Amino acid sequence: SVAYCGLADIAALMLLAERPNFKAADGYFKETRSSVVVTWLGHCSFLIQVYGATILTDPVWAKNGVVSNSHGLGGGTPMKRVVPPPCTIADLPEIDAVLLTSTRTDHFDKATIRELIDCTAAQWLVPVNHGEILRSMGVKSDRITELDWYEETVVGRNVKVVCTPSQFMAAPEKGSRGGLPGTGTNPTLWCSWTVIGVRSRLFFAGGTGYRSVTRDNPFPSLNERSKLPHCPVFAEIGAQYGPFSAAFLPIGDYSPRFVMSSVQADPLDAVCIHKDLRARQSIAMNWGTFVNCDEELLEPLRRLEKAVSDSGLSDNDFQVLMHGKTRVFY
């Protein structure tokens, strides 16, 4: 509930939120084509401006009513938005591409998508079998690009976008078990995205896990985790496409840990993904916007601070943006 999260925490996040400055990118691109201008719009929604393209990720403007379906584990969990979007969809600059990672409703908000259809001519980049859903909502076929893992396309002015793997799931279809990995119950794919600009490389994880933990030890230490199996794809992506100028990695919605660990990284796992990717800097996402799982609203930030310290990184290596904050990464 909202009360469980603490009204003081919500008030602090709302006071620190800013109105985005989307024009900040203009001057930086005149100085260097390697700049990446990032604005956090809440949850996993970012406006990313690189030289040659403006990209919107997993856009969700919903205020209430987003349902997580307990990540395919039975039942449905209403998600209450506690920090509103920092701008309207009409405030967004011209967008070249919208990247969607999953049909889960906190990544795939139909109301937001329908509004975007009316105000942008962007290309929609989606994993396999999302196209039919978008077409049923009114997106024209020539604006939809469906990709399998490791397939690629080009957007804007010669910016390459690669559909890359993640350890997640699709939303449940009627009569299915929620698209859990390995069950074959859902035909829609999930993914991460790799963006290769003129002089910058970005990785957007969407939702992802890294390793599974047990009920008896839900938050193992870094040394204990090193002995557990983990998802190998991030090291593979880092070797093939890295090093990355910036990576966008989830740090929240991880509790109860023994249930969620396979599909939602906690901060220490996010730091491990950061290292696997060979990212120069990472930006935290999937925290502080919705009330969904069992952790307190600001707990992911406390755990991230410790994870960064325990892993020998600096605060600059793994950054936290407030809602609406625009920051330039070189």
PDB file of all heavy atoms in Angstrom, residues 294-309:
ATOM      1  N   ASP A 294       7.133  -6.161  -2.555  1.00  0.00           N
ATOM      2  CA  ASP A 294       7.132  -6.081  -1.101  1.00  0.00           C
ATOM      3  C   ASP A 294       8.152  -5.111  -0.512  1.00  0.00           C
ATOM      4  O   ASP A 294       8.044  -4.759   0.660  1.00  0.00           O
ATOM      5  CB  ASP A 294       7.390  -7.470  -0.506  1.00  0.00           C
ATOM      6  CG  ASP A 294       6.193  -8.399  -0.665  1.00  0.00           C
ATOM      7  OD1 ASP A 294       5.146  -7.924  -1.150  1.00  0.00           O
ATOM      8  OD2 ASP A 294       6.323  -9.581  -0.311  1.00  0.00           O
ATOM      9  N   GLU A 295       9.159  -4.704  -1.277  1.00  0.00           N
ATOM     10  CA  GLU A 295      10.160  -3.825  -0.676  1.00  0.00           C
ATOM     11  C   GLU A 295       9.609  -2.410  -0.472  1.00  0.00           C
ATOM     12  O   GLU A 295       8.701  -1.976  -1.175  1.00  0.00           O
ATOM     13  CB  GLU A 295      11.434  -3.767  -1.524  1.00  0.00           C
ATOM     14  CG  GLU A 295      11.305  -2.980  -2.829  1.00  0.00           C
ATOM     15  CD  GLU A 295      11.049  -3.862  -4.029  1.00  0.00           C
ATOM     16  OE1 GLU A 295      10.699  -5.041  -3.842  1.00  0.00           O
ATOM     17  OE2 GLU A 295      11.208  -3.376  -5.173  1.00  0.00           O
ATOM     18  N   GLU A 296      10.184  -1.684   0.481  1.00  0.00           N
ATOM     19  CA  GLU A 296       9.811  -0.296   0.697  1.00  0.00           C
ATOM     20  C   GLU A 296      10.248   0.539  -0.511  1.00  0.00           C
ATOM     21  O   GLU A 296      11.159   0.175  -1.258  1.00  0.00           O
ATOM     22  CB  GLU A 296      10.464   0.238   1.975  1.00  0.00           C
ATOM     23  CG  GLU A 296       9.973  -0.447   3.239  1.00  0.00           C
ATOM     24  CD  GLU A 296      10.648   0.095   4.488  1.00  0.00           C
ATOM     25  OE1 GLU A 296      11.416   1.075   4.378  1.00  0.00           O
ATOM     26  OE2 GLU A 296      10.418  -0.480   5.564  1.00  0.00           O
ATOM     27  N   LEU A 297       9.628   1.698  -0.662  1.00  0.00           N
ATOM     28  CA  LEU A 297       9.805   2.500  -1.870  1.00  0.00           C
ATOM     29  C   LEU A 297      11.265   2.863  -2.130  1.00  0.00           C
ATOM     30  O   LEU A 297      11.738   2.793  -3.274  1.00  0.00           O
ATOM     31  CB  LEU A 297       8.956   3.773  -1.770  1.00  0.00           C
ATOM     32  CG  LEU A 297       8.801   4.605  -3.042  1.00  0.00           C
ATOM     33  CD1 LEU A 297       8.069   3.820  -4.122  1.00  0.00           C
ATOM     34  CD2 LEU A 297       8.053   5.901  -2.728  1.00  0.00           C
ATOM     35  N   LEU A 298      11.994   3.245  -1.105  1.00  0.00           N
ATOM     36  CA  LEU A 298      13.377   3.692  -1.273  1.00  0.00           C
ATOM     37  C   LEU A 298      14.406   2.617  -0.924  1.00  0.00           C
ATOM     38  O   LEU A 298      15.614   2.866  -0.979  1.00  0.00           O
ATOM     39  CB  LEU A 298      13.636   4.951  -0.434  1.00  0.00           C
ATOM     40  CG  LEU A 298      12.776   6.169  -0.792  1.00  0.00           C
ATOM     41  CD1 LEU A 298      13.208   7.378   0.018  1.00  0.00           C
ATOM     42  CD2 LEU A 298      12.853   6.484  -2.283  1.00  0.00           C
ATOM     43  N   GLU A 299      13.929   1.417  -0.571  1.00  0.00           N
ATOM     44  CA  GLU A 299      14.871   0.341  -0.242  1.00  0.00           C
ATOM     45  C   GLU A 299      15.843   0.035  -1.379  1.00  0.00           C
ATOM     46  O   GLU A 299      17.033  -0.192  -1.132  1.00  0.00           O
ATOM     47  CB  GLU A 299      14.100  -0.925   0.145  1.00  0.00           C
ATOM     48  CG  GLU A 299      14.998  -2.102   0.507  1.00  0.00           C
ATOM     49  CD  GLU A 299      14.217  -3.367   0.781  1.00  0.00           C
ATOM     50  OE1 GLU A 299      13.250  -3.311   1.557  1.00  0.00           O
ATOM     51  OE2 GLU A 299      14.571  -4.409   0.196  1.00  0.00           O
ATOM     52  N   PRO A 300      15.397   0.025  -2.655  1.00  0.00           N
ATOM     53  CA  PRO A 300      16.362  -0.246  -3.734  1.00  0.00           C
ATOM     54  C   PRO A 300      17.536   0.724  -3.755  1.00  0.00           C
ATOM     55  O   PRO A 300      18.665   0.328  -4.080  1.00  0.00           O
ATOM     56  CB  PRO A 300      15.511  -0.119  -5.002  1.00  0.00           C
ATOM     57  CG  PRO A 300      14.129  -0.457  -4.564  1.00  0.00           C
ATOM     58  CD  PRO A 300      14.013   0.123  -3.177  1.00  0.00           C
ATOM     59  N   LEU A 301      17.323   1.988  -3.391  1.00  0.00           N
ATOM     60  CA  LEU A 301      18.426   2.955  -3.380  1.00  0.00           C
ATOM     61  C   LEU A 301      19.414   2.638  -2.267  1.00  0.00           C
ATOM     62  O   LEU A 301      20.637   2.750  -2.464  1.00  0.00           O
ATOM     63  CB  LEU A 301      17.886   4.371  -3.209  1.00  0.00           C
ATOM     64  CG  LEU A 301      16.969   4.895  -4.308  1.00  0.00           C
ATOM     65  CD1 LEU A 301      16.695   6.378  -4.089  1.00  0.00           C
ATOM     66  CD2 LEU A 301      17.567   4.656  -5.690  1.00  0.00           C
ATOM     67  N   ARG A 302      18.915   2.229  -1.104  1.00  0.00           N
ATOM     68  CA  ARG A 302      19.817   1.872  -0.006  1.00  0.00           C
ATOM     69  C   ARG A 302      20.631   0.646  -0.369  1.00  0.00           C
ATOM     70  O   ARG A 302      21.849   0.581  -0.109  1.00  0.00           O
ATOM     71  CB  ARG A 302      19.012   1.645   1.272  1.00  0.00           C
ATOM     72  CG  ARG A 302      18.325   2.908   1.801  1.00  0.00           C
ATOM     73  CD  ARG A 302      17.772   2.695   3.194  1.00  0.00           C
ATOM     74  NE  ARG A 302      16.616   1.798   3.199  1.00  0.00           N
ATOM     75  CZ  ARG A 302      15.362   2.213   3.075  1.00  0.00           C
ATOM     76  NH1 ARG A 302      15.084   3.498   2.883  1.00  0.00           N
ATOM     77  NH2 ARG A 302      14.353   1.341   3.125  1.00  0.00           N
ATOM     78  N   ARG A 303      19.980  -0.340  -0.982  1.00  0.00           N
ATOM     79  CA  ARG A 303      20.707  -1.548  -1.375  1.00  0.00           C
ATOM     80  C   ARG A 303      21.681  -1.250  -2.514  1.00  0.00           C
ATOM     81  O   ARG A 303      22.762  -1.849  -2.589  1.00  0.00           O
ATOM     82  CB  ARG A 303      19.721  -2.644  -1.780  1.00  0.00           C
ATOM     83  CG  ARG A 303      18.956  -3.245  -0.607  1.00  0.00           C
ATOM     84  CD  ARG A 303      18.193  -4.502  -1.002  1.00  0.00           C
ATOM     85  NE  ARG A 303      17.514  -5.085   0.139  1.00  0.00           N
ATOM     86  CZ  ARG A 303      18.076  -5.931   1.009  1.00  0.00           C
ATOM     87  NH1 ARG A 303      19.341  -6.279   0.844  1.00  0.00           N
ATOM     88  NH2 ARG A 303      17.378  -6.416   2.008  1.00  0.00           N
ATOM     89  N   LEU A 304      21.318  -0.336  -3.411  1.00  0.00           N
ATOM     90  CA  LEU A 304      22.231   0.018  -4.499  1.00  0.00           C
ATOM     91  C   LEU A 304      23.489   0.687  -3.960  1.00  0.00           C
ATOM     92  O   LEU A 304      24.605   0.391  -4.411  1.00  0.00           O
ATOM     93  CB  LEU A 304      21.534   0.935  -5.507  1.00  0.00           C
ATOM     94  CG  LEU A 304      22.406   1.393  -6.685  1.00  0.00           C
ATOM     95  CD1 LEU A 304      22.845   0.203  -7.536  1.00  0.00           C
ATOM     96  CD2 LEU A 304      21.661   2.410  -7.546  1.00  0.00           C
ATOM     97  N   GLU A 305      23.319   1.578  -3.001  1.00  0.00           N
ATOM     98  CA  GLU A 305      24.484   2.248  -2.417  1.00  0.00           C
ATOM     99  C   GLU A 305      25.468   1.235  -1.840  1.00  0.00           C
ATOM    100  O   GLU A 305      26.685   1.334  -2.036  1.00  0.00           O
ATOM    101  CB  GLU A 305      24.026   3.232  -1.337  1.00  0.00           C
ATOM    102  CG  GLU A 305      25.159   4.025  -0.704  1.00  0.00           C
ATOM    103  CD  GLU A 305      24.674   5.006   0.342  1.00  0.00           C
ATOM    104  OE1 GLU A 305      23.532   4.840   0.846  1.00  0.00           O
ATOM    105  OE2 GLU A 305      25.427   5.950   0.668  1.00  0.00           O
ATOM    106  N   LYS A 306      24.941   0.243  -1.122  1.00  0.00           N
ATOM    107  CA  LYS A 306      25.811  -0.787  -0.537  1.00  0.00           C
ATOM    108  C   LYS A 306      26.411  -1.673  -1.621  1.00  0.00           C
ATOM    109  O   LYS A 306      27.597  -2.034  -1.563  1.00  0.00           O
ATOM    110  CB  LYS A 306      25.014  -1.640   0.449  1.00  0.00           C
ATOM    111  CG  LYS A 306      25.867  -2.661   1.208  1.00  0.00           C
ATOM    112  CD  LYS A 306      25.061  -3.414   2.242  1.00  0.00           C
ATOM    113  CE  LYS A 306      25.954  -4.293   3.120  1.00  0.00           C
ATOM    114  NZ  LYS A 306      26.830  -5.194   2.370  1.00  0.00           N
ATOM    115  N   ALA A 307      25.613  -2.025  -2.630  1.00  0.00           N
ATOM    116  CA  ALA A 307      26.111  -2.891  -3.701  1.00  0.00           C
ATOM    117  C   ALA A 307      27.243  -2.222  -4.468  1.00  0.00           C
ATOM    118  O   ALA A 307      28.250  -2.864  -4.810  1.00  0.00           O
ATOM    119  CB  ALA A 307      24.967  -3.242  -4.657  1.00  0.00           C
ATOM    120  N   VAL A 308      27.094  -0.937  -4.733  1.00  0.00           N
ATOM    121  CA  VAL A 308      28.150  -0.193  -5.437  1.00  0.00           C
ATOM    122  C   VAL A 308      29.423  -0.180  -4.609  1.00  0.00           C
ATOM    123  O   VAL A 308      30.528  -0.418  -5.120  1.00  0.00           O
ATOM    124  CB  VAL A 308      27.664   1.246  -5.746  1.00  0.00           C
ATOM    125  CG1 VAL A 308      28.830   2.142  -6.149  1.00  0.00           C
ATOM    126  CG2 VAL A 308      26.606   1.221  -6.843  1.00  0.00           C
ATOM    127  N   SER A 309      29.294   0.078  -3.309  1.00  0.00           N
ATOM    128  CA  SER A 309      30.462   0.106  -2.427  1.00  0.00           C
ATOM    129  C   SER A 309      31.111  -1.261  -2.315  1.00  0.00           C
ATOM    130  O   SER A 309      32.339  -1.403  -2.437  1.00  0.00           O
ATOM    131  CB  SER A 309      30.042   0.605  -1.042  1.00  0.00           C
ATOM    132  OG  SER A 309      31.124   0.553  -0.135  1.00  0.00           O
TER     133      SER A 309
END
